[in-house]
């Protein structure tokens, strides 16, 4: 039995547990790591470098309230995401001097150090108790349970959480390491060199839910048609336990079928600034250069464009509206679509021997 274990909101909890937005004032007692989060660690991870106050700061208090609110609205995806973005922003701006009330040169690196120690400690304890750790991510672990006993596993995860809470500068009851799901099968992906790609995988739970992590189809910039092909044709293969290594011909045929059913799915969203706001160094930053060209042609704002062979800005790949393409080529407009660009969104599913053919 494969089990997915997940730390709840690991980075925010480490922010609060370490009190890392609140450097100790001169002469004030400070925390510089203890227990599991000690300054010197057996596996040579960087030690906690900052000296932090032993009294929870106002930023940590704000984070605490935000995280509690997020737990209350966990069944409302939009509200939960809004709070998550706000919390993550705190981490992102902590290293920027522009934000004087939050900036601390050691904060961001110490947050990641504390998080690494949390997952490494969890892995160490799980292995000591006889579990085989198949894979660990930033805040999760995938293990093989030789006992087939979820109650026993829960006792071990409770022990892990207790040890980590006790080691924090300011113990946080919101910290948790829980059983996320039971997994029937997992799929991992390789890059063009044949190496496994980190943080990219698909798994099927025991209640027949398919979860995709890290691959392009879960990203906001993935084309709608690629997402449809995944949902309609590829996800069922995972549910049936079949191989997800497919030929270019097979995926291309699915793309063509979906174009016939709904060509609107070819449109990809582009959010453009005024063209004069793009700073382009000669010979560099092709993405900015393209966006500047698109903005010059279509204006600032949100536009939905298709990738094609001939019309609109771009070199090799051109971008225009679906209406422009149909007006120019009539019934033959489909032949002008640059299918490789849409196929690229599904590249991880292409069999190894064919993947390099995709430009």
């Amino acid at each position: 039995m494969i089990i997915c274990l997940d730390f709840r909101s690991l980075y925010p909890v480490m922010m609060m547990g370490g009190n890392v937005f609140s450097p100790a004032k001169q002469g004030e007692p400070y925390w510089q790591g203890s227990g599991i989060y000690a300054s010197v660690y057996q596996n040579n991870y960087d030690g906690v470098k900052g000296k932090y106050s032993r009294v929870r700061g106002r930023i940590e208090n704000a984070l605490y309230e935000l995280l509690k609110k997020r737990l209350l609205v966990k069944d409302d995806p939009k509200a939960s995401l809004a709070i998550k973005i706000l919390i993550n922003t705190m981490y992102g701006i902590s290293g920027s001097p522009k934000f004087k009330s939050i900036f601390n040169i050691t904060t961001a690196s110490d947050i990641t150090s504390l998080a690494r120690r949390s997952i490494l400690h969890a892995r160490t304890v799980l292995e000591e108790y006889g579990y085989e750790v198949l894979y660990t991510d930033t805040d999760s672990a995938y293990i093989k349970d030789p006992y087939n006993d979820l109650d026993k596993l829960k006792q071990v995860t409770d022990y892990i959480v207790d040890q980590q809470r006790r080691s924090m500068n300011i113990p946080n009851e919101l910290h948790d390491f829980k059983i996320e799901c039971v997994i029937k099968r997992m799929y991992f992906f390789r890059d063009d060199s044949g190496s496994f790609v980190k943080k990219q995988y698909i798994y099927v739970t025991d209640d027949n839910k398919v979860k995709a992590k890290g691959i392009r189809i879960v990203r906001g910039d993935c084309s709608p048609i690629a997402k449809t092909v995944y949902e309609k044709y590829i996800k069922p293969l995972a549910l049936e336990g079949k191989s997800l290594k497919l030929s270019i011909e097979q995926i291309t045929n699915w793309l063509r079928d979906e174009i016939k059913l709904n060509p609107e799915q070819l449109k990809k969203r582009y959010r453009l600034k005024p063209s004069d706001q793009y700073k382009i160094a000669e010979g560099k930053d092709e993405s900015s250069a393209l966006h500047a060209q698109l903005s010059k042609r279509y204006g600032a704002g949100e536009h939905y464009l298709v990738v094609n062979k001939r019309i609109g800005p771009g070199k090799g790949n051109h971008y225009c509206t679906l209406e422009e393409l149909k007006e120019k080529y009539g019934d033959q407009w489909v032949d002008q679509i640059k299918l490789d660009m849409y196929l690229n969104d599904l590249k991880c599913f292409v069999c190894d021997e064919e993947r390099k053919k995709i430009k």
Side-chain angles (χ1 to χ4, degrees), residues 270-334:
Y270 294 86
R271 290 174 173 167
L272 306 174
K273 301 181 291 187
S275 58
D276 59 2
Q277 291 187 17
Y278 289 97
K279 297 180 180 179
I280 307 164
E282 187 174 350
K284 297 182 179 180
D285 203 352
E286 293 182 9
S287 176
S288 291
L290 173 63
H291 281 69
Q293 293 173 38
L294 292 174
S295 178
K296 188 174 182 179
R297 180 180 178 112
Y298 296 106
E302 192 171 84
H303 300 277
Y304 291 83
L305 308 173
V306 297
V307 190
N308 69 95
K309 300 174 183 177
R310 301 182 189 281
I311 300 180
K315 296 180 180 179
N317 302 316
H318 296 266
Y319 301 79
C320 71
T321 66
L322 184 59
E323 291 70 29
E324 286 175 315
L325 201 62
K326 288 182 175 181
E327 182 179 350
K328 176 73 174 179
Y329 292 100
D331 294 339
Q332 305 302 313
W333 69 270
V334 175

Side-chain angles (χ1 to χ4, degrees), residues 40-45 120 124:
V40 180
Y41 199 62
Q42 60 182 359
N43 288 318
N44 297 321
Y45 277 88
L120 181 58
T124 301

Side-chain angles (χ1 to χ4, degrees), residues 74-349:
K74 62 182 180 180
D75 295 327
D76 182 345
K78 289 185 177 180
S80 179
L81 178 60
I83 296 174
K84 179 181 179 179
I85 291 172
L86 182 56
I87 291 173
N88 288 349
T89 300
M90 303 291 283
Y91 164 76
I93 66 177
S94 66
S96 173
K98 294 179 180 179
F99 300 89
K100 293 183 180 180
S101 62
I102 294 179
F103 170 69
N104 180 20
I105 196 168
T106 62
T107 291
S109 62
D110 285 350
I111 292 168
T112 57
S113 179
L114 291 166
R116 285 197 303 271
R117 293 181 185 194
S118 297
I119 195 66
L120 181 58
H121 168 253
R123 180 179 189 126
T124 301
V125 173
L126 287 164
E127 289 175 341
E128 287 175 351
Y129 277 84
Y131 296 95
E132 181 182 353
V133 181
L134 303 173
Y135 180 85
T136 54
D137 207 335
T138 304
D139 56 2
S140 57
Y142 296 85
I143 67 167
K144 191 172 183 179
D145 182 2
Y147 312 109
N148 290 325
D149 187 338
L150 294 181
D151 290 334
K152 177 181 177 67
L153 179 58
K154 179 67 165 56
Q155 292 176 6
V156 176
T157 57
D158 285 347
Y159 170 75
I160 290 169
V161 169
D162 180 66
Q163 291 295 301
Q164 294 185 5
R165 285 178 181 171
R166 290 172 182 270
S167 299
M168 291 177 180
N169 181 8
I170 300 178
N172 191 325
E173 80 281 3
L174 299 180
H175 185 44
D176 198 8
F177 188 47
K178 61 185 183 300
I179 299 171
E180 182 78 7
C181 62
V182 179
I183 297 172
K184 291 198 296 187
R185 66 184 68 92
M186 290 188 74
Y187 298 88
F188 295 93
F189 301 95
R190 298 180 187 271
D191 58 23
D192 291 344
S193 69
S195 301
F196 283 107
V197 183
K198 293 182 179 180
K199 300 184 180 181
Q200 291 189 14
Y201 49 88
I202 289 175
Y203 61 80
V204 182
T205 65
D206 62 342
D207 56 352
N208 287 322
K209 293 181 180 178
V210 181
K211 303 289 185 180
K213 302 286 186 178
I215 57 179
R216 278 195 62 82
I217 55 96
V218 300
R219 288 172 46 176
D221 61 351
C222 179
S223 61
I225 197 168
K227 292 187 176 186
T228 297
V229 167
Y230 168 73
E231 292 288 337
K232 191 171 178 179
Y233 303 100
I234 299 176
K235 185 185 282 189
L237 295 177
L239 284 168
E240 294 171 18
K242 295 182 178 179
S243 173
L244 301 188
K245 292 302 179 184
L246 308 165
S247 68
I248 290 177
E249 180 182 11
Q250 178 64 83
I251 297 177
T252 300
N253 287 339
W254 287 333
L255 288 169
R256 291 186 181 278
D257 289 342
E258 289 305 312
I259 291 173
K260 293 176 184 177
L261 290 172
N262 181 10
E264 296 290 318
Q265 297 178 96
L266 288 167
K267 295 179 178 179
K268 297 183 72 171
R269 182 180 63 188
Y270 294 86
R271 290 174 173 167
L272 306 174
K273 301 181 291 187
S275 58
D276 59 2
Q277 291 187 17
Y278 289 97
K279 297 180 180 179
I280 307 164
E282 187 174 350
K284 297 182 179 180
D285 203 352
E286 293 182 9
S287 176
S288 291
L290 173 63
H291 281 69
Q293 293 173 38
L294 292 174
S295 178
K296 188 174 182 179
R297 180 180 178 112
Y298 296 106
E302 192 171 84
H303 300 277
Y304 291 83
L305 308 173
V306 297
V307 190
N308 69 95
K309 300 174 183 177
R310 301 182 189 281
I311 300 180
K315 296 180 180 179
N317 302 316
H318 296 266
Y319 301 79
C320 71
T321 66
L322 184 59
E323 291 70 29
E324 286 175 315
L325 201 62
K326 288 182 175 181
E327 182 179 350
K328 176 73 174 179
Y329 292 100
D331 294 339
Q332 305 302 313
W333 69 270
V334 175
D335 296 333
Q336 301 303 319
I337 294 296
K338 202 67 180 288
L339 277 178
D340 270 4
M341 291 299 292
Y342 297 96
L343 181 63
N344 192 58
D345 286 339
L346 298 162
K347 185 177 180 179
C348 65
F349 299 109

